[in-house]
Structures are given as structure tokens and as C-alpha cells.
Amino acid sequence: MAKRLGVEVSIAVAEAAKQCNVDVISAYPITPQTHIVEHLSELVADGELDAEFIPVESEHTAMSTCVGASAAGARTFTATSSQGLALMVEILYIASALRLPVVMSMVNRALSGPISIWNDHCDLMLSRDTGWIQTVAENGQEAYDLIFHAYRVAEDHRVLLPVIVNLDGFTLSHVIEPIEYFDQAEVDSYLKPYVPAMRLDPKHPITMGPVGMPEVYTEARKAQEEAIKAARPVIAEAWQAFGDQFGRYYRAVESYQMDGAETVLITMGSIGETAMTAVDEMRSRGKKVGLLRIRLFRPFPVEELRKALKGVKRVGVIDRALPFGASGGPVAAEVRSALYHQTDRPFVYNYIAGLGGRDVTVENFEEMASELESLEKSELTEFYKIINVRE
Amino acid sequence: MGTAAEAFKGFEKYSLKKNLPMVEPLAPGHRACQGCGEVLALRQVMKAIGENVIVSSATGCMEIITSPWPQTAWRVPWLHVAFENAAAVASGVEAAYKAMTRKGKIEDTNTTFLAVAGDGGTADIGLQALSGALERGHNFVYLCLDNEAYMNTGVQRSSSTPYGAMTTTSPPGKLSRGQETWKKDLPAIAAAHRIPYVATGSPAFPVDLMNKAKKASLVKGPAYLHVYSPCCTGWRMAPHLSVESARLVVETRVFPLYEVIDGQWILSRDIKKPKPVEEYLKPQRRFSHLTAEDVKTIQERVDANWERLMKLIAATTPEDKTE
């Protein structure tokens, strides 16, 4: 039977990796990811987890060792944040191109400068186009659950892609929550041992990572694009199996109070919980407000969003990253793009919020929701706004 | 991590007449330039190490010429990831084998884990990953094929380019004599990590190189091989002079052949009557702009380096063996 314990979310993530019986963990300390790998190194030191823990000299090497280990056939785990992700991002592209099912938890944190250790989604967006499947946890239980899901999806021979499980730094990673830990037997029945499709073995020599001449590069990239699209049903199937086994059913896009909603907020990550409180407040005052929470960021759930937003009048997308000189936040850009080719599409506006650890409050969400109505009718010159800026 | 001395017990040296390995893990159908000394060195190392090996390759000449998809010159498992991380990738492969063997997922096959990189990928951008892997004590062999510049991108200087050499980013000019700095001493940097085995090699001395490669593979822990790898294209040298330059570099004491076994520095080939460095420099047009004074400066440096090496050898030789 599963047991429920009050535990720091980082520790729960490490325990999940342990229960997945990973073979190789390679990590470099970076705030606020540190508690995850510290706990894993303790588990290895105490003999509770039989794995190689490689305390590397940089995040670039952390990802490089993961690629080597995964290519050799080991189940491989690492974790990172912010600047660490920025340093390893070169190898992220290669891990996915080599179709290696590495799993990484990314404890989301702002990027320099100015240096900030606090939460936003700059790092998540920096890894956006690297070819990794990306899920985003909203609370501690999800951060724990999504690790098992990640391995099941990544190692499925129909997928064979690396997975990032995102969780917000500090506001989630360092919070103590009641987490339902699974029995090992349950985990073992959900997640089968890793069977590599190919691995480095002198008995069966293969060449991995050859040169791609112009004659083949486009085809290789297209194959990768097809692979991540083909992962979509497998991701859903793995969540279905997870629900059947553990009783919690997850979807790519989660709906909250969407019945008859005219105004909809879209969030990603732990601020969804605050947004839910705001929606409850507004609903209690008779406002037709709903919330969508994006759990699957890559591949982007275009169809799910279109379906969920059918008949909705106005949408406020909350981004926690600011791409300089762009036409707004990245999530909003994708939502707009997903809806554009529909004849009956809602008005979409973008709020940039919560950069570098700035609080996003219930009141903020209420203001956004009520402002959308007037914005919709006005002549806009900008399609996004950074909120909570001290002028 | 064991000692190199332990690992070498019972090691039967290769000799020219008896037992040169017949295996060719690196197939002949690659795309190297005519006269490439680097691929020759790589072939010799691969022959010596044999087929029970997993190769992690850095970006560079050897990666490009052996792996344009859908062809491969590798008869052994081979993985290329990026430029600066051959040592890191090999660390991962080694750790995976260690964990999977211990957990009974695979059999213990005593496989050699070999990282291969050029001088740019070793002395410059890959130095951190190399240092990390040596410090952590992974059981692997690191092979630096030193052709003394970034040849794959068009002959740009590296920190392993010798003093005075012309490259496309260290051009001789009114204010420049070419490369203004001295070649970084990578074997000494590797040895400073107190790893069991470090050696230098040259493809003009194939049996010596093969024995060193084999020994490196026997060591339980990190081993570092620094191999001089002539590049006719980049050195502006006729292709038939490749092996000749690899011989002259040793005979002039420019590139001494030695081993560092468990911290003890040992000369592999004593050069009692060294040829003047000019003989080595002359056939290579990368040095053709040098004045007699420049050559003299290089000769002095070569002499000083040799003296320093002799002192290291004397300082690390056990007392009972000194005369």
C-alpha cells in the first residue's frame, strides 16, 4: 500500500528516481536543484540505491555523462536549474537526436542577469526547442508522479526520447507537502526495466552520432520531429495506465471551472494553484472564469487547447519568461498560433508575471481576468504586458 | 584504482617480429587527407587496444573522416557527442558498465573505454572535462591526437600549437612571428592528476606506441596518451614527409617519448646525439618564415625542456636504482 508522508518535494523527486532503480546519476550542484541530487547521493552512500553517482565538474559534463551512460544502456538521471541548464543545453540537443531516454528534473529558476536564484521559467524556455519531451508539475505529488511517467514514456520503443520534468524552484522544490509514496512493487509493475533499442556493446558494434551531410541532415531532423509527435499518444497512454494503477488521472491540459467559462486564464506550473483560488473567488461572485493548466509543454498540446477553448470569449495567458524583442511570452505565442487558423477564435492577451521570484497573487489573477474584458474592446498596440512592475 | 605496475604484470610486449596485432578496428575506408599522420597513429592505437573497446570521440578530424552517415570506418562501438566532452562521455559509458555489471544486467567483459580527441578538444575546450574525468578516477584511456592546431576547421591555432608556427589565426606578419606562445604541456598536466599512467607516442615508432596503448588499456584507472600526429595539410608539408616528421620530432628532442608510470617519469627512447631542431622545422612550411634567431630561441627552449625532463626522471627514480 502507498503511504502518505510529509516531505520536502525535492526529497520526493529523489525518492522517485530511486524507486525507478536508476543505474547512473550524474550531477553538479546548482540552486535550487541541489536537494534532489544531495538526497540521491545519500541514498547511494547508504546502499539504498545501487547506482553510480558521478559528482561531475560541470553541468555540461553532467549531461555528457548521461548521454554516454544512456548510450551504454543504463537508466540515467540528472537534475538542473537555470545557469546549469544554460551550460548543458548544447548536449540536450544531442541527447534527443541520439534518441536516448535520459530523464532530468529541472527545478525552474531565472537566468542571469542580474543573477537570481529564484523561480521563473526562463530555463524551461531555453530548453524549449531541444527535442526533449517536457512535462510541468503543479504540486509536489505531481513532481513525484511525473518521474515514473517520464521513464515509462522515454524508454517506450515507440518514443525513445529524453524527458524533462519541470518543477518550480523553491515555491515547489523546497516546500514540505504530504506526498503519497508508492510501494516498490507497484512501481515495478508500472515501470518495466529499461531495454535499450540499441546500445554500445563490443559484441554488436554500432556507430552512434555520425556526421550528417546536407544530403541527410533535413531527413534526420524530420525524423526527430515525427518521433516527438508520435510520442503524444504514448504520453497519454502512460498517464491512463498511471491513473488506472495509482488513481490519479493526468492530462496534457487540465481544466478547472471551465463549464460555461467566458474568460479563461492559462498557467503552467505551481502558480496554477494560486490561480485556482482566484477562479474560485471570482466564480463565487458569479463571474464566468475558468482556468487551463498546461502540464505537457512538449509536444505542445495544440488539439487539447483548441478543444478546451471552444466557445471561450477571451483568454489571458500567463508567461513566466520574457523573450526580449519578441511579440510576447512564449506560451502565449504558442497558444495564439494554435488558435489562429480557427474561424471562431477567442481574444488572446498575454501577461508576463512572476519573473525572478516575484509573487503572483490571487489579486493579480483577478485583475487580469477582469481587465481582459476591457482590453478585448480596446485598440491594442501591444499584445502583452509585464505585471507587478514598480515604476 | 590500481597501480600501473600491478596492471602491467605479465604484460607481453608487442615486438615487430613476433606478435603484432592483426586486428584492424579502424577500417581502411576513411576519408583522411593524403599522408595523414593522425589516422596512422589512431590505427596503431586501435590495433593495440583491440576490439573489446568502446570509443567516445570528440568532434575533430578523426570524427569527420570516419563517420559521414551512412558510412562508418568503425568496426567497434563508437559514439560521437560533441567537441569538448570526450572524457565526460567516456566517464558515462564507463560508469554505466560499472553499474550494470554490478547489478547483473550485463556480464563483466573487461571492456576498454577509450576517449579520442584532438589537441583543441584536449588542451583548450575539453581540458575541464578531461581534468574532471582524471580526477574522478574513471577506468578509461584518453587519447590526444596532437596535430598542433584546429585542422578540421581550417588550421587555426590551439594552445598546443608550437611557438613560431604559422596558422590562420596566428599568421606571421609585420608585428608577428606566428604563434607567440609556447606549446601547452598536456602530458605534464595529465600527470599532475597523479593518475597511474601517462605516455607520449609518435606513429614513427609504432611498436613503442602500440605497447603504450596496450599498457594504457590494462591500467585500472585513468590513462593518458599524448600522440604526436603530423598533419601535412595544416603544416604545409608534402604528404610523404609525415612519418619522417614524426621521427625527426623525436630525434631532435622536440617531442620526447616517455612514460609516467605511477608517478615515475621514464624515458622511452634516449636521444644521445640530438639532431638540430632546424632539421625538423625546415620541411614544414608553417615554419618557413622563421629567422635564424627564432630557430635559436626554439633550440634553447627544446634544450631546456629536455633538461627539465631529465631532472623529473632523476627526481622520480627510486634511490636504489640510481647510480
Side-chain angles (χ1 to χ4, degrees):
Chain A
M1 277 294 287
K3 59 181 174 201
R4 216 167 148 84
L5 288 173
V7 65
E8 188 188 308
V9 172
S10 291
I11 305 302
V13 169
E15 287 288 332
K18 181 198 104 175
Q19 289 187 296
C20 292
N21 192 17
V22 294
D23 301 310
V24 176
I25 303 146
S26 182
Y28 189 78
I30 183 159
T31 304
Q33 156 266 53
T34 35
H35 290 185
I36 296 178
V37 299
E38 277 171 6
H39 189 61
L40 279 166
S41 71
E42 284 164 10
L43 291 169
V44 172
D46 288 339
E48 286 184 46
L49 167 60
D50 188 0
E52 284 296 304
F53 185 91
I54 318 178
V56 288
E57 86 294 336
S58 78
E59 284 92 349
H60 193 281
T61 288
M63 188 46 62
S64 301
T65 46
C66 283
V67 166
S70 187
R75 183 173 283 171
T76 307
F77 182 81
T78 189
T80 197
S81 292
S82 181
Q83 304 304 118
L85 182 274
L87 188 56
M88 63 164 64
V89 78
E90 179 198 17
I91 311 303
L92 257 61
Y93 281 89
I94 300 169
S96 61
L98 291 172
R99 308 288 300 275
L100 296 173
V102 177
V103 170
M104 172 161 78
S105 64
M106 180 143 70
V107 186
N108 302 123
R109 166 188 151 186
L111 279 159
S112 273
I115 191 164
S116 163
I117 58 165
W118 293 276
N119 167 244
D120 71 25
H121 282 176
C122 280
D123 51 8
L124 196 158
M125 292 309 155
L126 180 59
S127 59
R128 186 183 64 172
D129 300 333
T130 56
W132 287 53
I133 292 169
Q134 296 214 38
T135 55
V136 189
E138 188 178 285
N139 54 42
Q141 188 66 53
E142 270 193 44
Y144 171 82
D145 291 355
L146 287 174
I147 298 291
F148 305 102
H149 176 260
Y151 278 111
R152 178 153 164 157
V153 169
E155 294 171 359
D156 191 306
H157 282 206
R158 293 168 294 173
V159 177
L160 293 173
L161 285 170
V163 180
I164 293 173
V165 178
N166 290 282
L167 64 148
D168 286 327
F170 294 118
T171 55
L172 191 51
S173 63
H174 285 54
V175 168
I176 293 172
E177 285 191 16
I179 308 276
E180 187 190 49
Y181 275 162
F182 304 142
D183 282 347
Q184 190 58 45
E186 290 179 272
V187 172
D188 293 344
S189 111
Y190 178 71
L191 180 66
K192 301 297 174 203
Y194 172 36
V195 182
M198 279 186 285
R199 69 177 201 89
L200 297 168
D201 175 7
K203 288 196 197 86
H204 309 281
I206 52 166
T207 289
M208 291 177 85
V211 175
M213 305 299 274
E215 293 80 10
V216 300
Y217 183 87
T218 306
E219 286 69 21
R221 291 314 235 187
K222 181 164 185 261
Q224 218 182 316
E225 165 72 355
E226 281 172 0
I228 197 165
K229 281 187 173 165
R232 205 183 291 263
V234 184
I235 294 165
E237 189 186 299
W239 270 330
Q240 180 68 36
F242 188 90
D244 292 348
Q245 184 152 357
F246 301 107
R248 272 187 298 282
Y249 289 91
Y250 290 133
R251 280 167 291 273
V253 177
E254 211 64 59
S255 305
Y256 186 72
Q257 299 274 35
M258 284 297 289
D259 283 347
E262 292 177 354
T263 302
V264 171
L265 298 174
I266 299 183
T267 61
M268 204 160 72
S270 62
I271 61 164
E273 306 239 314
T274 316
M276 280 159 75
T277 308
V279 167
D280 287 343
E281 295 267 332
M282 289 184 279
R283 280 274 175 178
S284 73
R285 294 201 301 272
K287 297 204 175 243
K288 289 176 180 170
V289 182
L291 174 71
L292 293 179
R293 292 170 288 143
I294 298 176
R295 182 174 290 112
L296 179 66
F297 182 59
R298 280 288 179 272
F300 196 71
V302 173
E303 286 311 318
E304 290 86 341
L305 278 166
R306 281 181 176 178
K307 211 171 141 197
L309 291 171
K310 224 171 194 72
V312 167
K313 288 184 179 161
R314 55 200 82 84
V315 177
V317 186
I318 294 95
D319 262 293
R320 284 187 287 158
L322 174 59
F324 308 113
S327 59
V331 179
E334 299 223 22
V335 170
R336 272 200 204 101
S337 177
L339 300 176
Y340 183 80
H341 292 283
Q342 292 184 315
T343 45
D344 182 23
R345 55 178 186 252
F347 167 75
V348 179
Y349 194 76
N350 176 211
Y351 291 99
I352 312 272
L355 299 182
R358 180 68 52 86
D359 253 358
V360 191
T361 61
V362 171
E363 292 72 32
N364 288 147
F365 288 113
E366 289 181 0
E367 280 162 26
M368 291 180 219
S370 56
E371 190 188 46
L372 280 170
E373 219 164 320
S374 57
L375 284 171
E376 184 189 7
K377 289 167 192 149
S378 65
E379 279 202 25
L380 292 175
T381 50
E382 290 276 21
F383 304 98
Y384 68 99
K385 179 196 275 184
I386 309 172
I387 66 154
N388 285 349
V389 187
R390 287 198 311 274
E391 301 288 356
Chain B
M1 195 193 306
T3 65
E6 278 166 24
F8 300 158
K9 269 180 202 151
F11 165 62
E12 195 196 341
K13 279 189 168 183
Y14 294 126
S15 83
L16 206 51
K17 287 179 185 157
K18 301 194 294 208
N19 58 351
L20 280 192
M22 298 302 284
V23 290
E24 296 284 2
L26 182 68
H30 55 74
R31 298 168 180 215
C33 303
Q34 216 178 24
C36 175
E38 187 170 358
V39 80
L40 180 63
L42 181 60
R43 176 187 168 217
Q44 291 170 5
V45 169
M46 294 313 301
K47 278 175 79 70
I49 290 179
E51 289 170 320
N52 188 12
V53 64
I54 295 174
V55 182
S56 303
S57 172
T59 310
C61 289
M62 291 305 101
E63 171 251 346
I64 299 292
I65 61 133
T66 60
S67 84
W69 194 87
Q71 296 166 334
T72 179
W74 293 94
R75 291 169 172 154
V76 291
W78 180 90
L79 168 67
H80 164 256
V81 181
F83 185 21
E84 65 282 62
N85 64 354
V89 174
S91 301
V93 175
E94 184 254 8
Y97 264 71
K98 218 165 148 187
M100 293 191 301
T101 307
R102 193 174 59 230
K103 291 165 104 168
K105 293 183 177 183
I106 55 169
E107 272 175 57
D108 187 358
T109 48
N110 201 22
T111 300
T112 297
F113 307 102
L114 175 67
V116 181
D119 49 294
T122 303
D124 299 334
I125 197 168
L127 185 58
Q128 177 184 310
L130 170 62
S131 178
L134 296 181
E135 176 269 325
R136 291 190 302 268
H138 293 277
N139 178 25
F140 80 121
V141 180
Y142 190 95
L143 170 65
C144 173
L145 295 166
D146 183 5
N147 58 20
E148 302 192 326
Y150 289 82
M151 298 310 182
N152 187 43
T153 39
V155 200
Q156 294 86 13
R157 64 86 80 182
S158 77
S159 60
S160 195
T161 300
Y163 175 85
M166 174 206 72
T167 73
T168 56
T169 51
S170 65
K174 282 177 193 158
L175 304 174
S176 161
R177 60 171 58 77
Q179 174 85 341
E180 299 277 356
T181 57
W182 294 95
K183 186 181 175 76
K184 198 185 268 186
D185 192 352
L186 253 294
I189 292 171
H193 289 78
R194 306 286 193 270
I195 58 172
Y197 189 67
V198 173
T200 62
S202 161
F205 301 90
V207 180
D208 175 74
L209 176 55
M210 286 203 245
N211 276 316
K212 285 169 174 170
K214 185 67 193 176
K215 283 160 95 175
S217 74
L218 293 173
V219 166
K220 299 288 171 219
Y224 178 84
L225 278 182
H226 195 97
V227 181
Y228 178 86
S229 307
C231 172
C232 304
T233 311
W235 297 359
R236 311 285 193 253
M237 179 174 79
H240 69 276
L241 295 177
S242 206
V243 174
E244 188 59 21
S245 77
R247 187 176 2 258
L248 279 170
V249 82
V250 175
E251 291 175 345
T252 53
R253 292 180 174 172
V254 171
F255 187 86
L257 296 181
Y258 60 85
E259 291 174 299
V260 189
I261 301 175
D262 301 320
Q264 191 190 344
W265 293 61
I266 301 157
L267 203 59
S268 312
R269 176 173 285 264
D270 197 0
I271 307 298
K272 290 215 166 74
K273 288 182 187 164
K275 293 178 176 169
V277 291
E278 197 178 1
E279 263 188 61
Y280 165 70
L281 301 173
K282 212 161 189 183
Q284 302 176 29
R285 277 205 290 125
R286 63 172 171 160
F287 296 117
S288 62
H289 58 283
L290 294 183
T291 62
E293 202 180 326
D294 292 330
V295 175
K296 191 169 161 266
T297 307
I298 294 170
Q299 181 71 63
E300 282 166 10
R301 179 81 173 200
V302 166
D303 294 344
N305 279 349
W306 183 268
E307 283 309 309
R308 194 170 173 275
L309 179 62
M310 292 306 113
K311 282 179 191 161
L312 271 169
I313 290 167
T316 56
T317 304
E319 277 179 28
D320 56 345
K321 284 190 185 170
T322 49
E323 288 173 18

